Amino acid sequence: MTATILDGKALAATMRGEIAAEVAAFREQHGFVPAIAVLRAGEDPASVSYARQIAKSFEAAGMGFALYALPENTPEAKVVSLVKRLSRDKATSGIMVQEPLPKQVNPEAVLAALSPAKDVDGVHPVNAGLLMQGTGDYFAPATPAGGMEMLRRHGIELKGKRAVVVGRSNIVGKPMAFLLLHQHATVTICHSRTVDLGAVCREGDILVAAVGKARLIDGSMIKPGAIVIDFGVNFVEGKMVGDVDFDSAAEVASAITPVSGGTGPLTNVMLMRNTLMAARRQVADSR
Ligand code: NDP
């Protein structure tokens, strides 16, 4: 079997167009645009590059973007007071605090200052709790939300399916597992202490990899006909590869996200969608 490629690049382009149209309608109706504030302390290269991508995609969709790039030695109190100010600022719809934060800044203190209503990256415990319960107006972290959108837009039925998620981080693995559960999949979560990872993976009609280990999962660990969502971003000899060994997996799976061009392009788009959603909720709450 040769798998269908789940093309994240094409889906992201479609969704960018949809969001740009919704932003134009929002602006027409409310007289302002949904805007994100991205805050970082220090110049971590991955954070710098991600912020650049966010700026590009938000501006292309007609959304607002403001970068607060603080020096590496910024005291915690200053970061916290900026997050508090942005949380109150009417022109800021969403806030994203980039990690890693420098060692003198406690991420918990920053989270405590962040308004859950503007937490478009879905990292605040209030959003994580609501996501776990599957109730209320929560923001799901952009990466797993993108994985779910990929499944939904390809019409992949989840109800009653066995889903195996490899990875249990708060930002990818765990929220993905709960999002799948809310769609009535039967979910197993694997991690570094899972015994016989291959046997557990082979149970999955849907197999999700969120590990950060190049090609950890190969075709022999995949159930024939499974749908494979690979969130992994790893570099091997300068080439970006996933957590799944694409070539052997594509021989067994019925559909698979490539790396690159799979789940990656959707992360940005889901951040845009969350920011638009935040702006809409803030307008509704102010009435
Ligand atoms: P973390 O390092 O926070 O979590 C990795 C998880 O993988 C942990 O739960 C860990 O288990 C588990 N793990 C590690 N080794 C093994 C193993 N040998 N077998 C089974 N499980 C294992 O990573 P993230 O969740 O932040 O990111 C995961 C991947 O997704 C990375 O490659 C990252 O670059 C990528 N990513 C991609 C994005 C995108 O837009 N596509 C966005 C964000 C991340 P334990 O808990 O026991 O330590």
Side-chain angles (χ1 to χ4, degrees), residues 74-77 79-80 83 97 99 101-113:
T74 306
E76 179 182 287
V79 178
V80 165
V83 173
V97 180
E99 298 221 10
L101 285 162
K103 56 181 180 327
Q104 75 278 9
V105 181
N106 178 357
E108 282 177 23
V110 176
L111 278 184

Side-chain angles (χ1 to χ4, degrees), residues 128-205:
L130 290 172
L131 187 153
M132 192 270 279
Q133 293 181 338
T135 54
D137 286 338
Y138 59 82
F139 295 108
T143 299
M148 293 302 291
E149 193 68 16
M150 181 75 98
L151 293 167
R152 193 176 73 80
R153 297 257 186 161
H154 284 87
I156 293 164
E157 177 64 73
L158 298 172
K159 199 190 303 175
K161 295 284 166 63
R162 291 293 306 271
V164 175
V165 179
V166 189
R168 58 175 167 181
S169 74
N170 288 333
I171 193 78
V172 193
K174 253 186 249 166
M176 186 69 188
F178 280 110
L179 291 168
L180 287 162
L181 182 64
H182 297 329
Q183 295 306 314
H184 312 295
T186 301
V187 185
T188 303
I189 306 177
C190 301
H191 45 77
S192 65
R193 270 64 148 219
T194 296
V195 175
D196 199 350
L197 183 65
V200 184
C201 287
R202 275 190 300 276
E203 292 173 2
D205 302 308

Side-chain angles (χ1 to χ4, degrees), residues 50 143 166-173 190-194 197 209-213 216 230-234 241 243 263-268:
Y50 188 30
T143 299
V166 189
R168 58 175 167 181
S169 74
N170 288 333
I171 193 78
V172 193
C190 301
H191 45 77
S192 65
R193 270 64 148 219
T194 296
L197 183 65
V211 182
K213 295 243 154 77
L216 174 74
D230 189 356
F231 288 119
V233 176
N234 311 285
V241 300
D243 292 337
T263 55
L266 291 177
T267 293
N268 240 341

